Amino acid sequence: RKEVEQDPGPFNVPEGATVAFNCTYSNSASQSFFWYRQDCRKEPKLLMSVYSSGNEDGRFTAQLNRASQYISLLIRDSKLSDSATYLCAVNTDSWGKLQFGAGTQVVVTP
Amino acid sequence: EPEVTQTPSHQVTQMGQEVILRCVPISNHLYFYWYRQILGQKVEFLVSFYNNEISEKSEIFDDQFSVERPDGSNFTLKIRSTKLEDSAMYFCASSGPGQGAYEQFFGPGTRLTVL
């Protein structure tokens, strides 16, 4: 089983719609969880950290479900500029190596 | 807003040659990392560095790889004898201090092409 798994997509989303997708992790000792956004051939950009029961930042909401070992990202009122690959990242230390999923591609269409 | 910078943006080298990839982490950060991403694949951890020594390294980070913080600002990754399979995007990241140690910020990357 892969340590961090994501649905590769693509998720084709009409502009203004809501999209949500999950990321599962295998190590129950994982402590910190993050969502990054990656545009084509660019660096991962930190979108949100996900701690305890989750958090919200504008149109983006991240949730953590420790019992089922997954995190989710929900994007409301999708914009064309939200088109990107969303990477889930997990670590088991308070700092230290991040294990990334392969990413979920989101395509927002007019 | 402070950011991680990396040079060069693109490096082309011949197989067997040595390359040094350079990074300037965010100035007050204490933890430094190198990751790589082969085209079409996921981002993979190579090494973490704290207090002037390696904290953790992956299986990828074999004897051909080394890291150094030669002064108070630069953080380098050296590949001693490059192989074709080393062709990838190499990202430097930094984090910390305190609560910020959890969140890693990535540089724009160096695209390494080994011919």
Side-chain angles (χ1 to χ4, degrees):
Chain A
R1 181 180 174 184
K2 292 179 185 174
E3 298 196 46
V4 181
E5 287 199 70
Q6 296 184 250
D7 182 340
F11 284 67
N12 294 297
V13 186
E15 198 174 4
T18 295
V19 62
F21 41 89
N22 295 336
C23 164
T24 58
Y25 59 95
S26 61
N27 188 340
S28 59
S30 298
Q31 295 188 20
S32 301
F33 309 88
F34 307 91
W35 283 106
Y36 282 81
R37 171 197 169 119
Q38 187 175 36
D39 294 292
C40 189
R41 298 169 92 90
K42 300 285 190 182
E43 75 273 26
K45 287 188 186 295
L46 182 63
L47 184 64
M48 299 179 74
S49 304
V50 189
Y51 298 121
S52 61
S53 59
N55 52 298
E56 183 175 317
D57 183 3
R59 298 182 294 107
F60 297 83
T61 301
Q63 294 285 337
L64 167 64
N65 185 317
R66 284 195 181 273
S68 301
Q69 294 185 204
Y70 72 88
I71 63 173
S72 62
L73 182 66
L74 182 146
I75 308 173
R76 281 185 298 277
D77 187 23
S78 297
K79 313 288 184 194
L80 295 176
S81 57
D82 294 333
S83 296
T85 297
Y86 291 84
L87 308 179
C88 167
V90 176
N91 73 13
T92 55
D93 303 319
S94 58
W95 56 275
K97 76 173 186 183
L98 289 176
Q99 293 175 310
F100 281 87
T104 295
Q105 185 183 9
V106 172
V107 180
V108 182
T109 56
Chain B
E1 184 177 330
E3 57 185 21
V4 177
T5 60
Q6 290 185 244
T7 55
S9 57
H10 191 188
Q11 174 90 46
V12 181
T13 190
Q14 295 290 326
M15 190 170 55
Q17 294 297 304
E18 175 182 287
V19 295
I20 297 176
L21 310 183
R22 302 181 193 279
C23 168
V24 178
I26 293 172
S27 61
N28 67 333
H29 281 185
L30 301 175
Y31 308 96
F32 314 113
Y33 314 85
W34 284 100
Y35 292 82
R36 79 171 188 190
Q37 187 174 31
I38 294 170
L39 188 63
Q41 298 188 22
K42 65 180 181 179
V43 177
E44 299 175 290
F45 170 81
L46 292 177
V47 66
S48 58
F49 191 87
Y50 170 70
N51 202 25
N52 283 320
E53 61 182 26
I54 290 175
S55 307
E56 190 173 1
K57 58 185 181 180
S58 71
E59 294 174 354
I60 303 167
F61 195 89
D62 61 22
D63 292 343
Q64 294 299 314
F65 290 86
S66 63
V67 289
E68 194 177 36
R69 188 154 161 83
D71 52 42
S73 59
N74 290 285
F75 179 51
T76 63
L77 173 70
K78 181 192 292 186
I79 309 174
R80 257 181 282 283
S81 177
T82 50
K83 306 182 185 68
L84 295 176
E85 55 264 35
D86 293 329
S87 294
M89 193 75 158
Y90 287 80
F91 295 110
C92 173
S94 68
S95 67
Q99 189 71 16
Y102 294 86
E103 298 179 341
Q104 297 181 26
F105 295 89
F106 284 70
T110 293
R111 180 166 302 283
L112 177 64
T113 302
V114 182
L115 303 176

